[in-house]
Every structure is written in C-alpha cells, then in structure tokens.
Amino acid sequence: MNKIKIAFFDAKEYDRHSFEESNKSEEFDITFLDTRLSRDTCKLAEDADVVCVFVNDDIDASVIDQLSEMGVKLIALRCAGYNNVDIEYAFRKIHIVRVPAYSPYAVAEHAMALLLTSIRRIHKAYIRTKDFNFSLNGLTGFDLHGKTVGIVGTGKIGRIFIDICRGFGMNVIAYDKFPAADSGITYVSLDELWERSDIISFHCPLTDENRHMVNSDSIAKMKKGVVLINTSRGALIDSEALVEGIKQRQIGAACLDVYEEESDVFFHDYSNHIINDDTLARLISMPNVIVTSHQAFLTNEALQNIADTTLSNIREFISNDTCVNEVCYKCSNLANCKQTHEKKCF
Ligand code: NAI
C-alpha cells in the first residue's frame, strides 16, 4: 500500500522534531512546508492525501473547495481550536479532525506564570537585575491569597487553572455556557463574574456569540484594577477597548498569550522591523501588559501529544472513514461534538 502523503503547513523546527519522532517508522510521507495554508498556497498540497495545519492557517471556503477538488480527503488540525476553519462550509465536502487535548496543564500553568509575572513585576525585576539595578521602587505587587478569580470556561484547561488558583488560596467563581453539574464549582452569571472578580481568566472557545465578550460595556462592569488573562483566543477581547480600559486605569493589568490580529505577527521574528499594528504596539509598550506569542501550549509533553494524536487521527480516519476526534458542523452545533461524531452525519 502506498504511504499516506501529508502536506504539513506552517511547519516550525519544534513541529518537525516531534512529528519525525512520532513517525520514526516512516509510516507516513510527510512534506514539511514553511508557508501557511491559504487560498494562495493550496496548490502545494496537490499530491497530498491529508493536509496538516495549525491555529493561524486560514481554511475558508475557497481553500476547502480547492483542497476537495485536488482530492485531499482530510484536514488534520494539530490544535484544539477550530475557529480558523469554516466548518459549516466544510460539512459534506472535506473531513476535519483535531487534537482535543494535548496538555491542558501546559496552558493552565502558562496562565498562572503570566499572572505571577505580571502582579509580582518579575518582567521588570529581571531586566533591572540584568543591569545590576537592585532598586525595588515600583515593584510592589499584591497577594493572590484571598483574591477572587473569575474563570470563563470550565473545560479541561479551566478546571486545571481552578485547581492551581485554589492552591494559592484564591476564591474561585466561574461562568460557562454549559455549566458542569456536581463539579463543586461556583457558577455565576457573566455580569456577576465581571463585577466580583479581581482577576479574570478566559478558557472558552471563540465563537460568533462570544467574540469581543470583553468590550467597553463589560469592562465598565469590572472591578477597578482587574487583571485579565487570555490564553484562549484573541478575539474574545476587543483590543481597542482593552487599550482604552488600561488608559482609564479601569484594567490594572493584561496578560495576553493570544491577540485578535495575531495571525499577521505571531510566530515570526519582527525584531528588525517596524510593526504595522498600532494597537499591538501600544499594548506591548504598556508596563502592565505582558504578551507572549501563543506560547502557552509549548511544552515537550504537549508537542509529543500533538504529534502522536495527529498521526493517530489520520491513521484512524484512513482505516475507518471516520475518527473519534472529527470536527463536524452538525455535531459541533450540538454541545461541541463531545466525541460523538457518527458516520451518518456526513
Ligand atoms: P474544553 O472544550 O475542554 O472547554 C471549553 C469550555 O468552554 C467548555 O466547558 C464549554 O462548555 C465552555 N464554553 C463554550 N462556549 C462558551 C461560551 N460562549 N462562554 C463560556 N464558556 C463556553 O476546551 P479546553 O481544552 O479547556 O480549551 C479551552 C480553549 O483554550 C480552547 O478553545 C482554545 O481556544 C484555547 N487553547 C489555547 C492554547 C494556547 O496555546 N494558548 C492551547 C490550547 C487551547
């Protein structure tokens, strides 16, 4: 039998390493491509059976049409989120699989790393001591113990972040569109969460409904000095409203691993360039904003899980014409797929 050909878009050095390790037996013929998948680069997948993509590859209707005309059978997302895929248009045209969890610990731990860095001014202290400046002026933080943290989205990552926060002695409240029964989590309305939280951390998927859930109205309802942490998807936050909220001192700090216009910037080295995005430049210039470039997932454990699950998704789909990790428009409309995809959907 011929080897399954995979066109692997937006390949980074760390992807090659983990996928080569996972494909040691050379079961799959993988072509690593530096470029992202878009309507202009689709043709690079001409001979492929499967395309493998990440968070900032743009899988719109044109890409779906081109891929299905070329005979590509499957889009294998090597990430959990699928907001970059037009899943409604893909329905009955091309199958999509994803990696629902690779290391929820990696993301939750990164969220806490950002929070501690921000409120204890570690990013400032690091630069000072590198320059032999041992002054403490301006580095005063606050205790997390006893503070109220509001968690938006209590799935895999949100729950681990809740456990971490409880370990710090924080009071946890949460909002979820589908609250979990008997979870021991105190659910409140979104408005109550905005009003009561000293810190708010986002762990829900991005949907049409919750795009810009942080906007000038919701910011006005928040406690003065609130700290926002977003390791979920950038467009949950209206960046212009965030800048304004920080300028008004309503928002005390922002920890951002994601940004709504990140696809033009993140994962690339622009250290010798002028950034065209004024909003991002303004945010980065603020002393109480920390930006990491969609790095929360980046641990050895997560990378190996991503590679192993992606290849096993492809193997399962090629053998069975369906896969437990399939993203299906019909299922995802019904409680986020929850691994209940059935062949009859297609
Ligand atoms: P999950 O599917 O286990 O949990 C998501 C939770 O959000 C569920 O409980 C769901 O009911 C809830 N939810 C859905 N719609 C909602 C809404 N409109 N408002 C509030 N809650 C809502 O997902 P998981 O694994 O915990 O991941 C959460 C998000 O983290 C992903 O959607 C992805 O965007 C992001 N992520 C970020 C990574 C990074 O490197 N920065 C890596 C992996 C995931």
Side-chain angles (χ1 to χ4, degrees):
M1 190 182 139
N2 289 338
K3 283 186 192 176
I4 299 300
K5 290 187 177 163
I6 305 174
F8 192 108
F9 284 85
D10 202 13
K12 302 284 185 269
E13 198 186 310
Y14 47 79
D15 292 317
R16 287 170 201 252
H17 182 77
S18 53
F19 274 81
E20 277 165 4
E21 176 65 27
S22 201
N23 191 37
K24 261 196 308 231
S25 63
E26 299 188 2
E27 176 186 1
F28 299 98
D29 176 356
I30 307 178
T31 303
F32 292 100
L33 301 158
D34 292 337
T35 185
R36 286 188 183 155
L37 178 61
S38 69
R39 53 183 69 188
D40 301 322
T41 60
C42 263
K43 47 188 153 319
L44 294 169
E46 210 150 41
D47 296 329
D49 305 295
V50 177
V51 299
C52 182
V53 296
F54 196 51
V55 292
N56 287 321
D57 294 286
D58 188 9
I59 298 113
D60 63 9
S62 157
V63 170
I64 289 163
D65 282 340
Q66 289 189 58
L67 292 178
S68 65
E69 275 163 30
M70 283 190 274
V72 173
K73 299 179 187 66
L74 180 68
I75 297 171
L77 291 162
R78 51 181 192 279
C79 54
Y82 45 86
N83 53 289
N84 54 329
V85 185
D86 188 339
I87 53 164
E88 181 175 358
Y89 192 79
F91 188 57
R92 297 217 162 100
K93 292 191 180 65
I94 196 159
H95 291 264
I96 298 153
V97 291
R98 68 172 181 141
V99 181
Y102 23 100
S103 173
Y105 300 99
V107 182
E109 288 169 14
H110 191 78
M112 182 48 88
L114 287 173
L115 176 60
L116 286 172
T117 303
S118 169
I119 65 156
R120 302 310 305 270
R121 322 295 290 151
I122 306 293
H123 54 309
K124 295 283 173 194
Y126 175 80
I127 292 166
R128 279 194 198 181
T129 54
K130 278 277 175 199
D131 200 28
F132 301 100
N133 173 356
F134 301 107
S135 153
L136 293 182
N137 288 335
L139 298 184
T140 309
F142 63 81
D143 290 7
L144 287 179
H145 187 269
K147 296 293 182 302
T148 297
V149 58
I151 312 287
V152 181
T154 56
K156 291 177 285 297
I157 297 170
R159 282 172 188 233
I160 292 165
F161 191 67
I162 287 174
D163 287 345
I164 293 173
C165 290
R166 285 181 174 153
F168 276 78
M170 302 171 81
N171 305 315
V172 177
I173 56 175
Y175 168 78
D176 195 299
K177 196 175 170 197
F178 308 101
D182 304 327
S183 59
I185 297 170
T186 307
Y187 286 103
V188 296
S189 69
L190 208 42
D191 274 351
E192 190 176 343
L193 185 139
W194 300 146
E195 283 158 22
R196 284 180 52 195
S197 303
D198 300 297
I199 294 143
I200 301 174
S201 194
F202 295 89
H203 301 289
C204 60
L206 173 67
T207 62
D208 288 340
E209 175 194 12
N210 65 15
R211 181 175 296 272
H212 287 186
M213 70 194 303
V214 175
N215 52 42
S216 50
D217 289 344
S218 51
I219 289 171
K221 292 175 185 160
M222 292 175 194
K223 267 192 178 176
K224 195 168 174 60
V226 64
V227 179
L228 301 183
I229 310 166
N230 191 3
T231 56
S232 189
R233 284 294 180 267
L236 293 174
I237 298 181
D238 176 345
S239 311
E240 302 283 347
L242 175 65
V243 169
E244 207 41 48
I246 298 170
K247 281 166 68 183
Q248 301 297 328
R249 314 294 192 269
Q250 174 73 358
I251 293 172
C255 306
L256 309 174
D257 185 52
V258 286
Y259 171 66
E260 58 181 324
E261 302 299 332
E262 70 177 49
S263 62
D264 294 334
V265 188
F266 280 15
F267 306 122
H268 296 284
D269 179 359
Y270 287 115
S271 51
N272 282 320
H273 297 256
I274 307 291
I275 292 278
N276 287 326
D277 186 328
D278 288 351
T279 308
L280 180 62
R282 182 77 171 104
L283 284 168
I284 288 174
S285 77
M286 291 169 151
N288 50 355
V289 175
I290 296 180
V291 174
T292 52
S293 55
H294 209 133
Q295 178 193 331
F297 75 99
L298 197 65
T299 64
N300 291 327
E301 292 81 356
L303 288 173
Q304 208 50 61
N305 284 339
I306 288 172
D308 292 347
T309 308
T310 303
L311 294 187
S312 111
N313 282 345
I314 295 171
R315 191 180 297 116
E316 186 184 333
F317 178 82
I318 296 295
S319 321
N320 303 339
D321 269 349
T322 185
C323 169
V324 71
N325 292 327
E326 178 142 11
V327 181
C328 158
Y329 173 65
K330 197 167 160 190
C331 295
S332 63
N333 261 4
L334 299 170
N336 208 12
C337 206
K338 301 289 183 210
Q339 306 199 344
T340 55
H341 180 79
E342 292 177 31
K343 260 185 190 174
K344 63 179 168 18
C345 288
F346 215 70

